[in-house]
Amino acid sequence: MIHRLIYPCEQAAKLSSRAMEQALTMPERVRLRLHLMMCERCTNFSRQIEFLRRASRKIPEVLENDAD
Amino acid sequence: MAKYLGARFARCHETGITTRSISTMAEDDDLAQSLETHRKYLQRYAQFHLRDPSLAEDAVQDTLVAALSQRDRFQGRSQLRTWLTGILKHKVIDLMRSRDRALPPDAFSLDQDNNSAEGAFDAGGNWVDPPADWGKPDAALEASQFWRVYQECCQRMSRRDALVYSMREVMGLSSEEICKKIEITTTNLHVILFRARQSLRTCISKNWFGTQHD
């Protein structure tokens, strides 16, 4: 039973990435949340790709402030 | 560029612009001057994505010409720079697409069976190099050195992955727009974005968060 809930980090990481593109289904959301609750590594991954999104969206601003 | 725009105006004047009012012509000159003040920014923006100064110059030139010919559409609804960047994005994407078409078709093929971001996971789906805690990463956004690391890390991706990632995260296009624009499926898009994020994350972890810096 527990194995049906805890799937590999690879799947969790891919789901975290896809969650930034589209709404996950309810079962996907529940399973991802369960995995993240138990897995620090994937929690770090998830936070990091969200940070990268914040960073990337700042690029135009950074280019604007670049010295000529 | 200013010379080029000047020549364009000269041509307009020859072809019956005399019917237009003096004030409209003055507005044209004002616009041409305003465009010129944004040129350096546009050049940096294009260079960031294209990594090729002459191609970037082409994109900027096309953008300024397009902006002049569509000047009626710009009614001060948004900032001039935002409007110009909106035009430039599409020029950049088109140029990258035509450059990439020159490469062999299999250069971009996606191996659906082996897309696990270059060995990030073992056969059991476990992290080979587990993501470490970055603490409070947002402080990095204020460091100019961080952006150099970011750019270098972007350059380690394939051009295709870097383009797709940038379209989504830097240019802010929607997933649907990207799929339509570069003719890929949603599944391919998710594979590319995951691979790009994993690559960028690993590189930045190693070269910024894992090292001492001022």
Side-chain angles (χ1 to χ4, degrees):
Chain A
M1 179 62 196
I2 198 82
H3 282 286
R4 292 182 61 190
L5 283 174
I6 308 172
Y7 48 86
C9 290
E10 181 169 0
Q11 279 186 48
K14 286 178 179 171
L15 271 185
S16 291
S17 179
R18 184 149 65 79
M20 291 167 75
E21 305 311 314
Q22 60 180 201
L24 300 179
T25 64
M26 183 65 94
E28 283 171 340
R29 274 210 303 278
V30 170
R31 293 175 78 190
L32 178 61
R33 195 168 299 170
L34 275 172
H35 184 102
L36 293 182
M37 273 168 64
M38 292 177 289
C39 180
E40 203 180 325
R41 298 164 165 196
C42 288
T43 302
N44 288 338
F45 175 83
S46 173
R47 285 189 184 145
Q48 288 170 9
I49 60 174
E50 278 165 19
F51 164 75
L52 291 176
R53 168 164 283 181
R54 288 199 297 285
S56 305
R57 301 237 156 126
K58 271 190 79 133
I59 289 285
E61 201 184 308
V62 171
L63 294 173
E64 198 145 349
N65 296 330
D66 257 9
D68 287 314
Chain B
M1 190 62 214
K3 211 171 160 187
Y4 179 84
L5 293 178
R8 211 180 136 79
F9 281 131
R11 273 206 306 281
C12 289
H13 285 282
E14 284 161 18
T15 55
I17 198 130
T18 44
T19 54
R20 300 175 69 185
S21 71
I22 303 274
S23 68
T24 310
M25 276 154 51
E27 277 170 28
D28 276 351
D29 284 345
D30 282 353
L31 181 66
Q33 262 183 8
S34 306
L35 294 181
E36 196 54 34
T37 63
H38 293 293
R39 200 182 53 78
K40 277 184 179 164
Y41 168 76
L42 297 174
Q43 178 72 29
R44 282 198 297 269
Y45 190 97
Q47 172 64 18
F48 175 83
H49 294 290
L50 291 163
R51 306 176 206 164
D52 176 336
S54 70
L55 211 55
E57 181 70 40
D58 287 349
V60 173
Q61 185 146 318
D62 285 357
T63 299
L64 295 178
V65 170
L68 277 173
S69 66
Q70 299 166 25
R71 63 185 298 276
D72 295 343
R73 291 198 213 164
F74 179 70
Q75 310 272 350
R77 281 179 308 224
S78 56
Q79 293 285 316
L80 181 57
R81 181 166 289 190
T82 309
W83 182 61
L84 292 172
T85 309
I87 300 172
L88 179 61
K89 275 179 198 177
H90 294 282
K91 301 284 177 199
V92 165
I93 296 165
D94 291 344
L95 279 170
M96 292 191 82
R97 294 262 293 148
S98 54
R99 177 175 67 182
D100 291 347
R101 266 187 221 110
L103 295 173
D106 64 345
F108 293 135
S109 69
L110 287 164
D111 187 345
Q112 294 289 346
D113 296 326
N114 184 25
N115 56 30
S116 57
E118 288 157 35
F121 302 95
D122 65 20
N126 302 301
W127 290 103
V128 169
D129 183 13
D133 188 0
W134 284 0
K136 293 194 174 80
D138 287 69
L141 302 178
E142 307 304 322
S144 59
Q145 188 61 32
F146 170 79
W147 296 107
R148 262 172 239 134
V149 171
Y150 175 100
Q151 281 216 26
E152 279 172 31
C153 287
C154 280
Q155 292 178 12
R156 293 196 190 176
M157 295 181 210
S158 72
R159 275 180 174 167
R160 159 88 161 205
D161 286 7
L163 172 67
V164 171
Y165 182 81
S166 289
M167 285 171 82
R168 181 75 185 107
E169 305 290 44
V170 182
M171 301 181 186
L173 270 63
S174 71
S175 299
E176 293 76 20
E177 279 178 291
I178 297 169
C179 290
K180 208 171 148 191
K181 185 99 187 163
I182 63 170
E183 295 159 58
I184 56 172
T185 64
T186 311
T187 307
N188 283 348
L189 176 74
H190 294 158
V191 169
I192 294 172
L193 286 176
F194 175 72
R195 190 169 55 213
R197 285 173 178 142
Q198 166 57 14
S199 157
L200 193 56
R201 188 200 71 73
T202 310
C203 180
I204 288 180
S205 204
K206 193 171 159 199
N207 294 289
W208 182 263
F209 293 104
T211 56
Q212 293 291 318
H213 39 73
D214 301 324

Short mmCIF file of all heavy atoms in Angstrom, two decimals, chain A residues 21-68:
data_model
loop_
_atom_site.label_atom_id
_atom_site.label_comp_id
_atom_site.label_asym_id
_atom_site.label_seq_id
_atom_site.Cartn_x
_atom_site.Cartn_y
_atom_site.Cartn_z
N GLU A 21 3.39 24.24 -15.03
CA GLU A 21 2.86 24.46 -16.39
C GLU A 21 1.36 24.27 -16.48
O GLU A 21 0.70 24.89 -17.30
CB GLU A 21 3.52 23.49 -17.38
CG GLU A 21 5.03 23.55 -17.39
CD GLU A 21 5.52 24.98 -17.50
OE1 GLU A 21 5.00 25.73 -18.33
OE2 GLU A 21 6.40 25.35 -16.71
N GLN A 22 0.83 23.35 -15.69
CA GLN A 22 -0.61 23.06 -15.78
C GLN A 22 -1.09 22.56 -14.44
O GLN A 22 -0.30 22.11 -13.61
CB GLN A 22 -0.88 22.02 -16.88
CG GLN A 22 -0.19 20.71 -16.62
CD GLN A 22 -0.44 19.67 -17.72
OE1 GLN A 22 -0.29 18.50 -17.46
NE2 GLN A 22 -0.83 20.09 -18.92
N ALA A 23 -2.38 22.64 -14.23
CA ALA A 23 -2.96 22.13 -12.99
C ALA A 23 -2.86 20.61 -12.98
O ALA A 23 -3.17 19.96 -13.97
CB ALA A 23 -4.42 22.56 -12.89
N LEU A 24 -2.36 20.06 -11.90
CA LEU A 24 -2.30 18.60 -11.79
C LEU A 24 -3.68 18.07 -11.44
O LEU A 24 -4.53 18.81 -10.93
CB LEU A 24 -1.30 18.22 -10.68
CG LEU A 24 0.15 18.69 -10.86
CD1 LEU A 24 1.00 18.23 -9.67
CD2 LEU A 24 0.75 18.19 -12.16
N THR A 25 -3.88 16.78 -11.71
CA THR A 25 -5.15 16.17 -11.30
C THR A 25 -5.12 16.02 -9.78
O THR A 25 -4.06 16.07 -9.16
CB THR A 25 -5.32 14.77 -11.92
OG1 THR A 25 -4.29 13.92 -11.41
CG2 THR A 25 -5.23 14.82 -13.44
N MET A 26 -6.29 15.80 -9.21
CA MET A 26 -6.36 15.66 -7.76
C MET A 26 -5.46 14.53 -7.23
O MET A 26 -4.67 14.77 -6.31
CB MET A 26 -7.82 15.45 -7.32
CG MET A 26 -8.00 15.36 -5.83
SD MET A 26 -7.59 16.89 -5.00
CE MET A 26 -9.20 17.65 -4.92
N PRO A 27 -5.51 13.32 -7.82
CA PRO A 27 -4.61 12.26 -7.33
C PRO A 27 -3.13 12.64 -7.45
O PRO A 27 -2.33 12.36 -6.57
CB PRO A 27 -4.93 11.06 -8.23
CG PRO A 27 -6.24 11.36 -8.86
CD PRO A 27 -6.40 12.84 -8.88
N GLU A 28 -2.78 13.30 -8.55
CA GLU A 28 -1.38 13.73 -8.73
C GLU A 28 -0.96 14.70 -7.62
O GLU A 28 0.13 14.60 -7.07
CB GLU A 28 -1.20 14.41 -10.10
CG GLU A 28 -1.14 13.46 -11.28
CD GLU A 28 -1.18 14.17 -12.62
OE1 GLU A 28 -1.61 15.35 -12.70
OE2 GLU A 28 -0.77 13.54 -13.62
N ARG A 29 -1.87 15.64 -7.35
CA ARG A 29 -1.56 16.64 -6.31
C ARG A 29 -1.36 15.99 -4.95
O ARG A 29 -0.42 16.29 -4.23
CB ARG A 29 -2.71 17.65 -6.20
CG ARG A 29 -2.62 18.81 -7.15
CD ARG A 29 -3.26 20.07 -6.56
NE ARG A 29 -4.65 19.90 -6.18
CZ ARG A 29 -5.68 19.97 -7.03
NH1 ARG A 29 -5.46 20.17 -8.30
NH2 ARG A 29 -6.90 19.82 -6.60
N VAL A 30 -2.25 15.05 -4.63
CA VAL A 30 -2.19 14.39 -3.32
C VAL A 30 -0.90 13.59 -3.20
O VAL A 30 -0.17 13.69 -2.20
CB VAL A 30 -3.43 13.47 -3.13
CG1 VAL A 30 -3.26 12.59 -1.89
CG2 VAL A 30 -4.69 14.32 -3.03
N ARG A 31 -0.58 12.85 -4.26
CA ARG A 31 0.63 12.01 -4.21
C ARG A 31 1.89 12.86 -4.16
O ARG A 31 2.83 12.53 -3.45
CB ARG A 31 0.66 11.07 -5.41
CG ARG A 31 -0.45 10.04 -5.36
CD ARG A 31 -0.47 9.20 -6.59
NE ARG A 31 0.58 8.19 -6.56
CZ ARG A 31 0.90 7.44 -7.61
NH1 ARG A 31 0.30 7.61 -8.77
NH2 ARG A 31 1.85 6.53 -7.52
N LEU A 32 1.89 13.96 -4.88
CA LEU A 32 3.06 14.84 -4.86
C LEU A 32 3.24 15.44 -3.46
O LEU A 32 4.34 15.46 -2.91
CB LEU A 32 2.94 15.95 -5.91
CG LEU A 32 4.08 16.97 -5.94
CD1 LEU A 32 5.43 16.30 -6.24
CD2 LEU A 32 3.82 18.07 -6.98
N ARG A 33 2.14 15.87 -2.89
CA ARG A 33 2.21 16.48 -1.56
C ARG A 33 2.73 15.47 -0.53
O ARG A 33 3.57 15.79 0.30
CB ARG A 33 0.85 17.03 -1.15
CG ARG A 33 0.92 17.98 0.04
CD ARG A 33 -0.36 18.73 0.26
NE ARG A 33 -0.74 19.56 -0.89
CZ ARG A 33 -1.93 20.15 -1.01
NH1 ARG A 33 -2.84 20.01 -0.06
NH2 ARG A 33 -2.20 20.88 -2.05
N LEU A 34 2.22 14.24 -0.63
CA LEU A 34 2.69 13.19 0.29
C LEU A 34 4.18 12.94 0.12
O LEU A 34 4.92 12.81 1.09
CB LEU A 34 1.91 11.89 0.02
CG LEU A 34 0.58 11.76 0.73
CD1 LEU A 34 -0.16 10.50 0.21
CD2 LEU A 34 0.78 11.65 2.24
N HIS A 35 4.59 12.88 -1.14
CA HIS A 35 6.01 12.64 -1.39
C HIS A 35 6.86 13.77 -0.80
O HIS A 35 7.85 13.53 -0.12
CB HIS A 35 6.28 12.50 -2.90
CG HIS A 35 7.70 12.14 -3.22
ND1 HIS A 35 8.09 10.87 -3.56
CD2 HIS A 35 8.83 12.88 -3.21
CE1 HIS A 35 9.40 10.85 -3.76
NE2 HIS A 35 9.88 12.06 -3.56
N LEU A 36 6.44 15.01 -1.06
CA LEU A 36 7.22 16.16 -0.59
C LEU A 36 7.27 16.22 0.94
O LEU A 36 8.27 16.64 1.51
CB LEU A 36 6.66 17.46 -1.17
CG LEU A 36 6.80 17.65 -2.69
CD1 LEU A 36 6.26 19.01 -3.12
CD2 LEU A 36 8.25 17.51 -3.16
N MET A 37 6.18 15.78 1.57
CA MET A 37 6.15 15.78 3.04
C MET A 37 7.24 14.88 3.61
O MET A 37 7.78 15.14 4.67
CB MET A 37 4.79 15.29 3.54
CG MET A 37 3.75 16.39 3.65
SD MET A 37 2.10 15.69 3.91
CE MET A 37 2.32 14.89 5.49
N MET A 38 7.54 13.84 2.85
CA MET A 38 8.50 12.86 3.36
C MET A 38 9.89 12.99 2.76
O MET A 38 10.82 12.32 3.19
CB MET A 38 7.96 11.45 3.09
CG MET A 38 6.74 11.14 3.92
SD MET A 38 6.10 9.50 3.51
CE MET A 38 5.43 9.77 1.88
N CYS A 39 10.02 13.81 1.74
CA CYS A 39 11.28 13.83 1.01
C CYS A 39 11.88 15.24 0.93
O CYS A 39 11.39 16.09 0.19
CB CYS A 39 11.08 13.26 -0.40
SG CYS A 39 12.57 13.24 -1.39
N GLU A 40 12.94 15.43 1.68
CA GLU A 40 13.60 16.73 1.73
C GLU A 40 14.26 17.07 0.39
O GLU A 40 14.27 18.22 -0.05
CB GLU A 40 14.67 16.67 2.82
CG GLU A 40 15.05 18.03 3.37
CD GLU A 40 16.12 17.87 4.44
OE1 GLU A 40 16.08 16.85 5.18
OE2 GLU A 40 16.99 18.73 4.51
N ARG A 41 14.78 16.05 -0.26
CA ARG A 41 15.49 16.26 -1.52
C ARG A 41 14.57 16.85 -2.58
O ARG A 41 14.92 17.83 -3.26
CB ARG A 41 16.04 14.93 -2.04
CG ARG A 41 17.05 14.34 -1.06
CD ARG A 41 17.29 12.89 -1.36
NE ARG A 41 18.50 12.44 -0.66
CZ ARG A 41 19.15 11.34 -0.93
NH1 ARG A 41 18.71 10.53 -1.88
NH2 ARG A 41 20.24 11.03 -0.27
N CYS A 42 13.41 16.24 -2.70
CA CYS A 42 12.46 16.73 -3.71
C CYS A 42 11.85 18.07 -3.30
O CYS A 42 11.48 18.86 -4.16
CB CYS A 42 11.38 15.68 -3.98
SG CYS A 42 12.03 14.27 -4.89
N THR A 43 11.75 18.30 -1.99
CA THR A 43 11.28 19.61 -1.52
C THR A 43 12.29 20.67 -1.94
O THR A 43 11.93 21.74 -2.43
CB THR A 43 11.10 19.60 0.01
OG1 THR A 43 10.18 18.57 0.34
CG2 THR A 43 10.57 20.93 0.52
N ASN A 44 13.59 20.35 -1.76
CA ASN A 44 14.62 21.28 -2.21
C ASN A 44 14.51 21.52 -3.71
O ASN A 44 14.57 22.66 -4.18
CB ASN A 44 16.02 20.73 -1.90
CG ASN A 44 16.33 20.78 -0.41
OD1 ASN A 44 15.72 21.55 0.34
ND2 ASN A 44 17.26 19.95 0.05
N PHE A 45 14.33 20.43 -4.46
CA PHE A 45 14.21 20.56 -5.92
C PHE A 45 13.06 21.50 -6.29
O PHE A 45 13.23 22.42 -7.09
CB PHE A 45 13.98 19.18 -6.56
CG PHE A 45 13.75 19.24 -8.04
CD1 PHE A 45 14.82 19.31 -8.92
CD2 PHE A 45 12.46 19.26 -8.56
CE1 PHE A 45 14.61 19.39 -10.30
CE2 PHE A 45 12.25 19.33 -9.93
CZ PHE A 45 13.32 19.40 -10.80
N SER A 46 11.92 21.23 -5.67
CA SER A 46 10.73 22.01 -5.98
C SER A 46 10.94 23.51 -5.68
O SER A 46 10.59 24.38 -6.48
CB SER A 46 9.57 21.43 -5.19
OG SER A 46 8.45 22.23 -5.33
N ARG A 47 11.56 23.79 -4.52
CA ARG A 47 11.82 25.19 -4.16
C ARG A 47 12.83 25.82 -5.12
O ARG A 47 12.74 26.99 -5.45
CB ARG A 47 12.39 25.27 -2.74
CG ARG A 47 11.33 25.05 -1.70
CD ARG A 47 11.86 25.35 -0.31
NE ARG A 47 10.86 25.03 0.67
CZ ARG A 47 11.12 24.54 1.87
NH1 ARG A 47 12.37 24.32 2.24
NH2 ARG A 47 10.15 24.26 2.71
N GLN A 48 13.79 25.01 -5.54
CA GLN A 48 14.84 25.55 -6.42
C GLN A 48 14.30 25.92 -7.80
O GLN A 48 14.65 26.96 -8.35
CB GLN A 48 15.99 24.54 -6.54
CG GLN A 48 16.78 24.47 -5.24
CD GLN A 48 17.78 23.33 -5.20
OE1 GLN A 48 18.03 22.67 -6.22
NE2 GLN A 48 18.35 23.08 -4.04
N ILE A 49 13.43 25.06 -8.36
CA ILE A 49 12.93 25.42 -9.69
C ILE A 49 11.97 26.61 -9.61
O ILE A 49 11.88 27.40 -10.55
CB ILE A 49 12.32 24.21 -10.47
CG1 ILE A 49 11.13 23.60 -9.73
CG2 ILE A 49 13.38 23.17 -10.76
CD1 ILE A 49 10.42 22.50 -10.55
N GLU A 50 11.32 26.76 -8.46
CA GLU A 50 10.47 27.96 -8.30
C GLU A 50 11.33 29.21 -8.15
O GLU A 50 11.00 30.27 -8.68
CB GLU A 50 9.54 27.79 -7.10
CG GLU A 50 8.31 26.96 -7.47
CD GLU A 50 7.55 26.46 -6.25
OE1 GLU A 50 7.73 27.01 -5.15
OE2 GLU A 50 6.78 25.50 -6.41
N PHE A 51 12.45 29.05 -7.47
CA PHE A 51 13.40 30.17 -7.36
C PHE A 51 13.93 30.54 -8.75
O PHE A 51 14.03 31.71 -9.10
CB PHE A 51 14.57 29.81 -6.44
CG PHE A 51 15.74 30.74 -6.57
CD1 PHE A 51 15.70 32.02 -6.02
CD2 PHE A 51 16.88 30.36 -7.29
CE1 PHE A 51 16.77 32.89 -6.17
CE2 PHE A 51 17.95 31.23 -7.43
CZ PHE A 51 17.90 32.49 -6.87
N LEU A 52 14.24 29.51 -9.55
CA LEU A 52 14.76 29.78 -10.90
C LEU A 52 13.74 30.53 -11.75
O LEU A 52 14.10 31.36 -12.58
CB LEU A 52 15.18 28.47 -11.59
CG LEU A 52 16.42 27.79 -11.00
CD1 LEU A 52 16.69 26.47 -11.70
CD2 LEU A 52 17.65 28.70 -11.11
N ARG A 53 12.48 30.24 -11.52
CA ARG A 53 11.44 30.98 -12.25
C ARG A 53 11.47 32.45 -11.83
O ARG A 53 11.44 33.34 -12.67
CB ARG A 53 10.06 30.37 -11.99
CG ARG A 53 8.91 31.27 -12.46
CD ARG A 53 7.59 30.56 -12.57
NE ARG A 53 7.54 29.73 -13.77
CZ ARG A 53 6.48 29.00 -14.13
NH1 ARG A 53 5.41 28.99 -13.37
NH2 ARG A 53 6.51 28.28 -15.23
N ARG A 54 11.56 32.70 -10.52
CA ARG A 54 11.63 34.10 -10.06
C ARG A 54 12.86 34.79 -10.64
O ARG A 54 12.78 35.94 -11.07
CB ARG A 54 11.72 34.17 -8.53
CG ARG A 54 10.45 33.83 -7.80
CD ARG A 54 10.47 34.36 -6.37
NE ARG A 54 11.50 33.80 -5.51
CZ ARG A 54 11.47 32.57 -4.98
NH1 ARG A 54 10.45 31.78 -5.23
NH2 ARG A 54 12.44 32.15 -4.21
N ALA A 55 13.98 34.07 -10.66
CA ALA A 55 15.22 34.65 -11.18
C ALA A 55 15.08 34.96 -12.66
O ALA A 55 15.38 36.07 -13.10
CB ALA A 55 16.38 33.68 -10.94
N SER A 56 14.58 34.00 -13.43
CA SER A 56 14.49 34.17 -14.89
C SER A 56 13.59 35.33 -15.27
O SER A 56 13.87 36.06 -16.22
CB SER A 56 13.96 32.88 -15.53
OG SER A 56 14.77 31.79 -15.15
N ARG A 57 12.52 35.50 -14.50
CA ARG A 57 11.59 36.59 -14.83
C ARG A 57 12.20 37.96 -14.55
O ARG A 57 11.66 38.99 -14.96
CB ARG A 57 10.29 36.42 -14.04
CG ARG A 57 9.63 35.08 -14.37
CD ARG A 57 8.22 35.22 -14.89
NE ARG A 57 7.87 34.04 -15.68
CZ ARG A 57 6.80 33.28 -15.47
NH1 ARG A 57 5.98 33.58 -14.49
NH2 ARG A 57 6.55 32.26 -16.25
N LYS A 58 13.31 37.97 -13.81
CA LYS A 58 13.99 39.23 -13.52
C LYS A 58 15.02 39.62 -14.59
O LYS A 58 15.58 40.71 -14.55
CB LYS A 58 14.72 39.13 -12.16
CG LYS A 58 13.85 39.54 -10.99
CD LYS A 58 14.69 39.65 -9.74
CE LYS A 58 15.45 40.97 -9.70
NZ LYS A 58 15.36 41.66 -8.42
N ILE A 59 15.27 38.70 -15.52
CA ILE A 59 16.31 38.95 -16.53
C ILE A 59 16.12 40.28 -17.28
O ILE A 59 17.07 41.05 -17.40
CB ILE A 59 16.40 37.76 -17.53
CG1 ILE A 59 17.01 36.55 -16.83
CG2 ILE A 59 17.22 38.13 -18.76
CD1 ILE A 59 18.50 36.61 -16.60
N PRO A 60 14.91 40.57 -17.78
CA PRO A 60 14.75 41.85 -18.49
C PRO A 60 15.18 43.03 -17.64
O PRO A 60 15.82 43.96 -18.14
CB PRO A 60 13.26 41.88 -18.81
CG PRO A 60 12.85 40.45 -18.87
CD PRO A 60 13.67 39.77 -17.81
N GLU A 61 14.86 42.98 -16.36
CA GLU A 61 15.23 44.05 -15.44
C GLU A 61 16.75 44.13 -15.29
O GLU A 61 17.33 45.21 -15.25
CB GLU A 61 14.59 43.72 -14.09
CG GLU A 61 14.42 44.86 -13.14
CD GLU A 61 13.87 44.34 -11.81
OE1 GLU A 61 12.84 43.62 -11.82
OE2 GLU A 61 14.50 44.62 -10.79
N VAL A 62 17.36 42.96 -15.21
CA VAL A 62 18.82 42.91 -15.07
C VAL A 62 19.50 43.48 -16.32
O VAL A 62 20.45 44.25 -16.22
CB VAL A 62 19.29 41.44 -14.82
CG1 VAL A 62 20.81 41.34 -14.88
CG2 VAL A 62 18.78 40.95 -13.49
N LEU A 63 18.97 43.13 -17.49
CA LEU A 63 19.54 43.65 -18.74
C LEU A 63 19.38 45.16 -18.81
O LEU A 63 20.22 45.88 -19.35
CB LEU A 63 18.86 43.00 -19.95
CG LEU A 63 19.10 41.50 -20.14
CD1 LEU A 63 18.24 40.96 -21.27
CD2 LEU A 63 20.57 41.22 -20.43
N GLU A 64 18.28 45.63 -18.26
CA GLU A 64 17.99 47.06 -18.26
C GLU A 64 19.03 47.84 -17.44
O GLU A 64 19.44 48.92 -17.80
CB GLU A 64 16.61 47.28 -17.65
CG GLU A 64 16.02 48.61 -17.96
CD GLU A 64 14.51 48.52 -18.13
OE1 GLU A 64 13.96 47.40 -18.23
OE2 GLU A 64 13.88 49.57 -18.18
N ASN A 65 19.43 47.22 -16.32
CA ASN A 65 20.36 47.90 -15.42
C ASN A 65 21.82 47.68 -15.78
O ASN A 65 22.70 48.26 -15.16
CB ASN A 65 20.12 47.45 -13.98
CG ASN A 65 18.73 47.86 -13.52
OD1 ASN A 65 18.20 48.86 -13.97
ND2 ASN A 65 18.13 47.06 -12.65
N ASP A 66 22.06 46.82 -16.77
CA ASP A 66 23.45 46.56 -17.19
C ASP A 66 24.12 47.85 -17.65
O ASP A 66 23.54 48.62 -18.39
CB ASP A 66 23.46 45.58 -18.38
CG ASP A 66 23.84 44.19 -17.94
OD1 ASP A 66 23.92 43.96 -16.73
OD2 ASP A 66 24.06 43.34 -18.82
N ALA A 67 25.36 48.03 -17.20
CA ALA A 67 26.11 49.21 -17.65
C ALA A 67 26.47 49.02 -19.12
O ALA A 67 26.76 47.91 -19.55
CB ALA A 67 27.37 49.36 -16.82
N ASP A 68 26.42 50.10 -19.88
CA ASP A 68 26.78 49.99 -21.31
C ASP A 68 28.29 50.02 -21.49
O ASP A 68 28.97 50.69 -20.75
CB ASP A 68 26.15 51.14 -22.10
CG ASP A 68 24.66 50.93 -22.25
OD1 ASP A 68 24.27 49.81 -22.58
OD2 ASP A 68 23.90 51.89 -22.03
#
